[in-house]
Amino acid sequence: MSDWMVTRGPATGRRPRALSPLREHLRDTFWFAPAAGMVCVLLVWAVASEIDTRIVAALQDEHDYDTVEELLRFADDARTVVTTVSSAMMTFIGVVFSISLVAVQMASGQFSPRVVRIFVRSRITKATFAVFLATFVLTLLVLTSYDSDQDPRLVTSVPLVQSVVTLAMVGLSLLLFVMYVNSTLRLMRISHVIDRIVGEAFRVAAIMPAGAPEDEGALGPVAAWIAHDGRAGVLRDVDIARLVRVARQHDVVLRLVPRIGDFVVPGTPVLAVHGRTAPPRRALRYTASVGVERTFHQDLGFGLRQLSDIALKALSPAINDPTTAVQALDRIVQFLAAVSRRPLDASVHRDRRGAVRLVQPVPGWTDLVDLGFTEIRGCAVGNPQVTRRLLAGLDDLALLAPEERRQPLLRHRALLAQAVERHIPAPADRAFALRPDRQGIG
């Protein structure tokens, strides 16, 4: 009998939204935000230019040439500022781009290549880059709006509103630059990176409420297998609402064969259809999203994978940072403690009448424990700080987890003790390394 999980979505009763491939593509790229910023600034400039033209035309119609002449003097003063901003903005853009590259390189080399996605998807970085480019483009457009004729009676436009908008964009650029530097410095600190990973991992677990056990044999015989016919890649998401709707319409039960995060290739089975007749394949097209890398969307184990990678990188001879490994272990224990009493192994999705329509595999308790501890345990020998924290974490989880879930925890504890006894000859050092300590070496 497997543990099952009935997913009814958030408190509002809605199911988790399907992952949008377009939205994910835009979040993983840098071109969209700057392009959108430049398009918006073109529209703003066009409106401001039209307002400036109408202001000058209205003053000339009223023969108020003195005011036009004052506007011309103001525009001449503002032109110097706009020219300075135009030349300085490219330097700012270079600084932002350089800081981003350094941050990404440090994150990939010291933390894990998986955490680079945090920097790539940073909204403040994209907003800063977009506003800087938009400000630069706006200054060029404003400079082209200056009329060579300085006669108040003949001038057609004075870039008054355009200059004010440019100054406002400069102020916004400076504000975003300060926020960008602060955000980037925070993301370069491992504690904040780990906190971001754990936060996203808990959001995934939050949409998977517990449910009643179900008998897997009640699904019925397999009527058909639905193969993957798209490109090869990592299964990132399935459209739960659409799959449940199709299964209800054809009175079948669909079972997802691979887990979210598995690599699938064309021709491999993705869905098993349990029932008398299989729905048409066209009804199930575009229900699975495949990409080049894993995402947190519906992926319960991705957070543990990143935390484990960070700990392994910290324990490598090139880095040799056991304190970072302890920080990662703190959050691994936190996450496992949060899911220690939740039903795992599979998620069952029902229709409005309560009938099972979709069975989605999720990592089981043993899978999560092995993912969080196996590789770290293999590299922890020789680092008493890590072995002590690992033992304390296993002991805490053994107290929190139900009786039937303690076996993998006890297995890891025994294997760690055996490894320490093999590699540390001195009895005093062995005893020190095998003493549980929540701070590593407190």
Side-chain angles (χ1 to χ4, degrees):
M1 178 81 64
S2 298
D3 291 332
W4 298 85
M5 182 177 303
V6 181
T7 301
R8 295 184 179 90
T12 58
R14 298 180 180 179
R15 299 187 185 277
R17 294 175 56 186
L19 189 67
S20 170
L22 177 60
R23 182 171 178 267
E24 286 299 300
H25 173 71
L26 295 180
R27 293 189 67 183
D28 287 335
T29 57
F30 250 82
W31 65 267
F32 178 73
M38 288 187 288
V39 170
C40 291
V41 84
L42 283 172
L43 297 177
V44 171
W45 170 78
V47 173
S49 180
E50 181 65 21
I51 294 175
D52 286 333
T53 301
R54 293 189 179 187
I55 290 175
V56 173
L59 292 175
Q60 289 175 341
D61 291 341
E62 296 177 2
H63 302 287
D64 191 357
Y65 299 115
D66 292 337
T67 302
V68 176
E69 190 171 358
E70 291 179 2
L71 293 180
L72 285 171
R73 287 196 293 268
F74 172 81
D76 287 338
D77 295 336
R79 185 172 189 173
T80 304
V81 177
V82 173
T83 304
T84 303
V85 170
S86 178
S87 59
M89 198 54 62
M90 287 305 296
T91 303
F92 260 63
I93 293 174
V95 170
V96 171
F97 192 67
S98 300
I99 294 176
S100 298
L101 289 180
V102 171
V104 169
Q105 185 177 12
M106 289 184 61
S108 177
Q110 295 187 3
F111 304 154
S112 166
R114 255 65 60 190
V115 304
V116 173
R117 64 188 298 274
I118 297 177
F119 294 86
V120 174
R121 297 162 72 96
S122 173
R123 291 188 177 93
I124 187 64
T125 301
K126 295 179 181 179
T128 304
F129 199 55
V131 170
F132 280 12
L133 281 177
T135 304
F136 175 70
V137 172
L138 180 60
T139 57
L140 297 181
L141 295 173
V142 172
L143 289 175
T144 62
S145 299
Y146 281 90
D147 201 324
S148 59
D149 198 334
Q150 297 297 307
D151 190 341
R153 295 175 176 79
L154 301 178
V155 68
T156 58
S157 177
V158 178
L160 173 65
V161 177
Q162 299 174 61
S163 300
V164 173
V165 172
T166 302
L167 295 177
M169 290 291 292
V170 171
L172 179 60
S173 299
L174 294 176
L175 176 62
L176 283 176
F177 181 72
V178 174
M179 296 174 60
Y180 163 77
V181 172
N182 178 70
S183 175
T184 303
L185 290 177
R186 283 173 58 89
L187 288 178
M188 293 173 69
R189 297 168 59 185
I190 186 60
S191 58
H192 293 284
V193 173
I194 291 177
D195 185 68
R196 178 76 66 87
I197 294 171
V198 174
E200 294 190 16
F202 273 113
R203 280 192 289 271
V204 177
I207 65 174
M208 299 168 58
E214 291 285 345
D215 185 5
E216 187 175 358
L219 298 179
V222 177
W225 298 91
I226 307 299
H228 176 57
D229 59 355
R231 62 173 181 171
V234 176
L235 182 62
R236 304 187 301 178
D237 163 83
V238 291
D239 192 338
I240 296 174
R242 183 179 173 187
L243 288 174
V244 170
R245 184 171 60 253
V246 171
R248 178 179 56 83
Q249 292 172 351
H250 296 83
D251 194 22
V252 297
V253 179
L254 299 175
R255 178 169 56 87
L256 187 67
V257 178
R259 287 196 319 212
I260 301 298
D262 286 355
F263 190 87
V264 295
V265 298
T268 57
V270 175
L271 289 169
V273 181
H274 295 263
R276 288 174 294 180
T277 59
R281 292 180 180 270
R282 65 177 181 274
L284 298 174
R285 295 186 63 186
Y286 308 114
T287 55
S289 174
V290 174
V292 296
E293 64 178 354
R294 296 171 68 173
T295 68
F296 274 101
H297 196 77
Q298 300 183 5
D299 195 340
L300 186 62
F302 189 42
L304 285 179
R305 175 71 277 166
Q306 293 188 74
L307 293 174
S308 178
D309 286 348
I310 291 174
L312 291 174
K313 180 78 73 170
L315 293 175
S316 66
I319 306 278
N320 195 22
D321 183 11
T323 301
T324 295
V326 168
Q327 288 181 286
L329 278 172
D330 291 340
R331 296 313 186 100
I332 291 174
V333 173
Q334 177 192 3
F335 181 79
L336 291 176
V339 300
S340 61
R341 295 184 177 271
R342 289 175 176 240
L344 298 170
D345 289 325
S347 176
V348 173
H349 305 273
R350 302 173 182 269
D351 59 18
R352 295 177 180 177
R353 298 180 179 178
V356 175
R357 294 303 180 187
L358 175 65
V359 177
Q360 180 181 2
V362 298
W365 171 251
T366 302
D367 297 328
L368 294 177
V369 171
D370 290 341
L371 177 60
F373 294 130
T374 300
E375 294 177 307
I376 299 177
R377 174 174 54 79
C379 298
V381 179
N383 292 278
Q385 183 178 175
V386 182
T387 58
R388 289 159 64 98
R389 179 63 186 100
L390 184 54
L391 288 170
L394 290 170
D395 291 344
D396 290 340
L397 290 174
L399 294 175
L400 296 173
E403 180 68 29
E404 64 273 12
R405 289 188 171 180
R406 294 176 183 173
Q407 191 279 329
L409 301 172
L410 298 177
R411 171 169 53 86
H412 281 284
R413 200 185 197 287
L415 291 174
L416 178 61
Q418 293 174 11
V420 170
E421 290 176 358
R422 286 196 307 267
H423 291 86
I424 300 180
D429 290 339
R430 284 201 304 268
F432 181 80
L434 293 176
R435 187 180 306 153
D437 186 347
R438 291 188 180 90
Q439 293 188 18
I441 300 178

